[in-house]
Structure formats: C-alpha cells, structure tokens
Amino acid sequence: LALAGCGADTGTAVDASDASPITMGFSQVGAESEWRVANTRSVQEAAAAAGIELVFSDAQQDQDRQIEAIRSFIAKGVDVIAFSPVVETGWDPVLREARRAGIPVILTDRAIRTADPGLYRTFLGSDFLEEGNKAGTWLDDRHIRAEEPVSIVEIQGTVGSAPAIERQLAFAEAISSNPQLKIVASTSGDFTRAGGRAVMEDFLADLPDIDVLYAHNDDMGLGAIEAIEAAGKVPGRDIEIISVDGVREGLQALIDGKINYIVECNPLIGEQLMELAVKIVAGEQVLSRVVTKETVFERSAALAALPDRRY
Ligand code: AHR
C-alpha cells in the first residue's frame, strides 16, 4: 500500500485512487473445529470483498508455526498482520520484530498475555469469561435446589489457550456458590471431536456417576456424545451436556435433545477484521478491544436459528 511519509505504522494514507491494495498476513490457529473452518471462510471472504490481499497461513495448532508465519509476513513487508494466537503466552519477541518493522498487528479471536499492550493495536473477538459465566450460571440455576451432589466433568480446549483458560475459570466461579455442583474431572480434548471422544471414554471408564458434561466447544461435545452412546447411556438425559460455539451440528444435537444448552461463540468476524485493518493502515485510531456479539441457545432458540445458520 502506498503511504505518504514514513512507514505503514505511522503514515498518512494517500488518496484511495492511488493506493495499491492492502496486504494482510493472517496466521490461523488451524482447522481443529467447525467453528475454526467457519472463521477461516469468514476471513477469506471478507478480505476478497474488501479488496484486501490475504496471505493466509494455517499453523495446525502449533505456536512455532505461527511464529514462523509472522516472521515470513514481516519479511514480505505486508501492511498489517492479523493472527489468532493458539496459546496466550510467548509472543512478545516476534511482536517486537513486527513493531520494529512498522507493521501493525491485530489479534483476532484469542488474546495474548503480555506486559506490553503496545505490541498490538486491537483485539477483536469473543469474551470467553462471559461465555464460561453463561454456561455456569445456566447450570447453577438448573440445580439451584439440588439436594444431592451433581458430578460435573469438563472437557477443556487447547491447554494454554485463552478460551480454555477463561471458559474454565468463569464456569468454576459461576457455580462456586452452589455446594452441590462439583467438578470431578477436567481434561483437555484440544478442541477436536476425536479429542472429545477420547477424553469422554476415559471419564466414563473411571467415573461411575457422571451427571453433567461441560465441553469447551461443540466439536468436543459431539465427540463425547459418541462415547456416551457407545457406553449405552443417553446424552442429554443420563448426562446433561453444555457446550460452546453453536455450529449447525451442535444446534441439531440440541434440537435432538442430546445437548441441553449451548453458549454461542461467533466465528463470523471477517468483515469487522477488514474494517479495522483498513482504518489502522490509514493511520486512524481504533478501539483497543472489540467484543463480538453473542447469544445462548436452548432448544427453542436452536430451532429458530438453525435454518439460517451459515456454519
Ligand atoms: O477460540 C475459539 C475456539 O476455538 C472455539 O470455541 C473453538 O471451537 C475453536 O477451535
């Protein structure tokens, strides 16, 4: 992109008619879930619609690959870098390299933990604490008068990732005032369906009386349903299931009574990302945090939403 004056980081945009297209380097986490596939599609379609050249890289859930991709974007001299960090920590050195090169960085979907918030311009994505809180509050309300202990198993997302950390934390906090609600096991299924199934198989083998499953995404919940059915139990009845995302298959399972409650996490953030990128490259100020709008689903809401669901 042609900019008057100095680097892309601080320059003033020239007349749009003279400008070559913005180039965005985008490092995606992977393709671990239906949510992620929809998120990738949203980013790619929005870039094409906005006339932004997208250099896309899939890290296959590996932080080193993401760091390598970001370094290659810096070497190419892209106008802006966006990435969805697989884990929260370990980004400062590479983000300092981007800053030295004058390339602004946007975090999408997941946050990082850093003492230097000047390493990125904005973070666009869900409030994972709010999601965990919604899941826990629903369960607490449902068992408010429980007289017996309610055994909860949790299948966490990728270890060290922002959604796994925050969904776990806020859920535990939301149920903490109800002494009958007890998390008896919590293991990572890495946000994949195979992971969810394997973890649930282990839980079922080790724990005789599971009342509730809290899965950090639909894919792991759907994998766990396979394990529950294979063990001769009825998902949604013998074991209540709460998951996060709201992908089509998740909503269908909710309609079929196999999942009881879904907290939405919205992957369709491509358009907002491109709008932010255009402003940042033009030297405009943007909010440092942009939170995605989300809802929750019980059966009736899932029935209403499914026909128009795009992912
Ligand atoms: O970071 C968002 C999470 O990552 C989604 O809930 C999950 O499905 C995905 O893999």
Side-chain angles (χ1 to χ4, degrees):
L1 176 77
L3 290 169
C6 38
D9 199 21
T10 52
T12 313
V14 295
D15 184 321
S17 55
D18 296 342
S20 52
I22 292 172
T23 304
M24 172 188 283
F26 184 87
S27 169
Q28 180 59 289
V29 168
E32 72 283 2
S33 63
E34 287 304 312
W35 187 101
R36 187 65 55 195
V37 172
N39 179 247
T40 293
R41 204 182 312 123
S42 168
V43 169
Q44 289 173 333
E45 287 175 1
I52 291 179
E53 242 171 56
L54 193 70
V55 186
F56 182 87
S57 174
D58 177 345
Q60 295 163 47
Q61 299 248 65
D62 182 278
Q63 182 174 33
D64 290 341
R65 279 207 190 93
Q66 280 201 296
I67 291 173
E68 216 176 280
I70 294 168
R71 290 211 166 107
S72 80
F73 299 152
I74 296 169
K76 274 193 177 73
V78 298
D79 299 303
V80 56
I81 292 171
F83 80 114
S84 175
V86 60
V87 291
E88 278 190 333
T89 54
W91 301 102
D92 285 32
V94 74
L95 294 186
R96 277 198 292 269
E97 289 169 36
R99 184 163 62 189
R100 273 199 297 276
I103 302 175
V105 171
I106 302 175
L107 302 180
T108 75
D109 162 38
R110 297 182 182 179
I112 61 169
R113 202 172 308 165
T114 177
D116 183 356
L119 289 175
Y120 60 92
R121 292 298 184 82
T122 184
F123 164 38
L124 163 67
S126 307
D127 183 339
F128 299 132
L129 286 171
E130 185 55 29
E131 291 172 354
N133 178 52
K134 285 174 182 166
T137 302
W138 179 83
L139 192 69
D140 185 31
D141 286 349
R142 199 165 157 97
H143 294 277
I144 200 98
R145 277 183 258 285
E147 283 168 7
E148 309 265 298
V150 177
S151 294
I152 304 162
V153 294
E154 178 178 37
I155 307 184
Q156 296 173 35
T158 301
V159 175
S161 70
I165 293 167
E166 295 184 355
R167 286 174 189 166
Q168 178 181 35
L169 204 76
F171 177 82
E173 170 67 27
I175 63 168
S176 63
S177 59
N178 186 334
Q180 301 295 12
L181 296 180
K182 294 186 192 312
I183 300 171
V184 294
S186 181
T187 303
S188 172
D190 212 13
F191 281 128
T192 67
R193 188 178 293 217
R197 182 178 174 133
V199 170
M200 194 68 206
E201 280 169 356
D202 289 347
F203 285 162
L204 288 162
D206 295 346
L207 303 161
D209 298 310
I210 299 170
D211 300 308
V212 176
L213 162 66
Y214 169 43
H216 286 192
N217 78 348
D218 287 345
D219 285 73
M220 295 190 296
L222 292 163
I225 286 172
E226 292 169 12
I228 292 167
E229 286 176 335
K233 293 183 185 275
V234 181
R237 194 193 68 195
D238 295 338
I239 299 178
E240 286 174 354
I241 301 179
I242 308 164
S243 67
V244 184
D245 278 355
V247 301
R248 288 184 64 86
E249 250 188 290
L251 294 183
Q252 187 59 59
L254 180 54
I255 291 165
D256 296 341
K258 297 182 179 192
I259 292 181
N260 305 80
Y261 191 63
I262 296 179
V263 176
E264 186 180 42
C265 181
N266 182 4
L268 305 183
I269 53 179
E271 209 178 308
Q272 275 174 297
L273 171 61
M274 299 310 148
E275 284 167 11
L276 287 166
V278 168
K279 285 189 180 158
I280 288 170
V281 173
E284 289 176 34
Q285 288 297 315
V286 295
L287 292 173
S288 58
R289 175 74 169 108
V290 182
V291 183
T292 321
K293 283 209 183 87
E294 279 150 4
T295 185
V296 291
F297 296 101
E298 286 185 292
R299 189 168 185 275
S300 55
L303 270 168
L306 190 61
D308 298 326
R309 204 67 172 167
R310 285 156 55 196
Y311 55 92

